[in-house]
Amino acid sequence: MSKKSFEIEMKVRDYECDAQGIVNNANYQHYYEVTRHEFLESVGISFSDSHDEGIDPVVSRVEIHYKTSLKGGDRFISSMTVERKGVRLIFSQNIKRKTDHALCSTATIDVVVLVNGVLSMGNQYDKVLEEYLKD
């Protein structure tokens, strides 16, 4: 049985492209961040409410592999799964162009949770992430 995934559709905006006419590599990290934020919102986690409670999920490591370039106007699907390894929540993410399902990029994003500025196990999120953390 595979992990439950989350996905959203997005569109490349012209200003995200570089002089070569392809999406600048830094924008993929933005796409991945939007996906994680939309995912957390979909399971009832508000970044601003969490922060007000002293709970801050923060990125501790990013690894991105680029496969096929997106271009201005391309629509794409950004998807992700999440798993727990110790104190880390590990987001496995990918971006596929919608028209031909070409794999454009893959990423592994490690997130840790700080409570009042101190590293925690991040158990505050286990209940709402339960169905996504299962195999």
Side-chain angles (χ1 to χ4, degrees):
M1 184 176 186
S2 62
K3 288 188 164 298
K4 184 172 180 178
S5 64
F6 174 83
E7 65 181 40
I8 62 169
E9 182 177 330
M10 290 186 257
K11 180 181 176 183
V12 174
R13 296 161 294 220
D14 291 337
Y15 69 84
E16 297 169 332
C17 297
D18 58 23
Q20 297 167 314
I22 59 175
V23 171
N24 180 277
N25 63 324
N27 286 304
Y28 289 87
Q29 189 161 343
H30 292 282
Y31 299 153
Y32 288 129
E33 183 172 19
V34 168
T35 303
R36 290 190 311 279
H37 282 237
E38 291 292 325
F39 163 70
L40 291 173
E41 187 177 295
S42 79
V43 296
I45 297 173
S46 160
F47 260 64
S48 59
D49 290 349
S50 288
H51 177 73
D52 291 346
E53 295 168 11
I55 302 167
D56 294 299
V58 296
V59 171
S60 64
R61 188 176 76 85
V62 174
E63 182 178 330
I64 299 175
H65 297 268
Y66 304 95
K67 308 291 186 180
T68 303
S69 296
L70 287 167
K71 297 178 181 172
D74 279 348
R75 291 197 170 278
F76 61 93
I77 304 297
S78 180
S79 63
M80 50 132 295
T81 59
V82 62
E83 65 181 299
R84 175 178 286 292
K85 285 191 179 176
V87 297
R88 297 176 295 149
L89 290 170
I90 300 174
F91 292 83
S92 297
Q93 299 186 241
N94 70 63
I95 291 173
K96 292 183 179 177
R97 190 169 40 231
K98 189 172 179 183
T99 55
D100 61 0
H101 308 287
L103 181 62
C104 299
S105 176
T106 62
T108 304
I109 315 290
D110 293 5
V111 172
V112 295
V113 178
L114 304 179
V115 177
N116 297 316
V118 177
L119 181 64
S120 79
M121 282 300 293
N123 295 330
Q124 299 83 347
Y125 296 138
D126 285 352
K127 186 67 177 163
V128 293
L129 297 179
E130 183 176 42
E131 66 183 287
Y132 288 90
L133 292 171
K134 286 193 245 180
D135 279 329

